[in-house]
Amino acid sequence: MAVRAASGIRPLGLDTMVRLQRGRRSPGAPRRLTVPDGMTVPLGCDAVAVPAELGQQVLPRLPRVGCVYADEVRWWWIVPSDSDYALEWPAPAWYATGAVVPDAPVLPGLIYRPDDAVPYTPPIPLYLALCRLTNTTPTWSRSVTA
């Protein structure tokens, strides 16, 4: 039995609205950060994104900085693949497997490039700097309860 609105127009069901919303998204190829020419990624490539204000505070705290990309909202740090293994990156950091930049109309631009041929920022110093700035206890220092 169909229910009709007072206007005589049949309202859309939830299934129909979900199908229409999914149809609006264009499933294009994922947009990835690419390392500059001449650089190698022997360990694969992921990225850690942080809000731009936080990125400016992280930069001077690192002993080595790899490729860093930025847009108006976030800074993106290139790290080796699987740098999220056994780590919970502190909020508001966001871990991007494969260095995929979601929903970006334009890819972030390169703002820092190291002198050598490796694009990585070491993930542990980056993680610790983010923990300190966000007042988060590192994963390995948290209490374990049974």
Side-chain angles (χ1 to χ4, degrees):
M1 176 163 104
V3 177
R4 294 213 181 260
S7 65
I9 299 173
R10 187 172 156 179
L12 297 176
L14 182 58
D15 290 339
T16 302
M17 290 189 296
V18 168
R19 183 177 42 80
L20 290 171
Q21 179 64 25
R22 286 183 182 156
R24 291 180 56 195
R25 296 183 195 140
S26 57
R31 300 177 68 89
R32 299 179 190 276
L33 297 173
T34 56
V35 297
D37 290 338
M39 297 193 115
T40 61
V41 286
L43 302 175
C45 191
D46 288 346
V48 176
V50 299
E53 314 81 55
L54 193 57
Q56 294 170 358
Q57 296 173 30
V58 169
L59 189 63
R61 296 173 182 259
L62 297 174
R64 182 193 188 284
V65 178
C67 289
V68 181
Y69 298 80
D71 56 24
E72 295 173 359
V73 180
R74 296 184 187 113
W75 283 26
W76 299 81
W77 309 81
I78 297 295
V79 294
S81 291
D82 300 324
S83 292
D84 62 336
Y85 181 77
L87 289 179
E88 293 175 27
W89 288 85
W94 184 75
Y95 192 85
T97 303
V100 173
V101 179
D103 303 329
V106 177
L107 280 174
L110 183 67
I111 61 168
Y112 183 83
R113 176 190 171 146
D115 293 331
D116 56 13
V118 181
Y120 306 125
T121 295
I124 298 301
L126 177 60
Y127 174 79
L128 290 172
L130 287 170
C131 284
R132 173 157 295 228
L133 290 169
T134 60
N135 200 26
T136 303
T137 303
T139 303
W140 55 79
S141 297
R142 295 182 191 153
S143 299
V144 177
T145 57

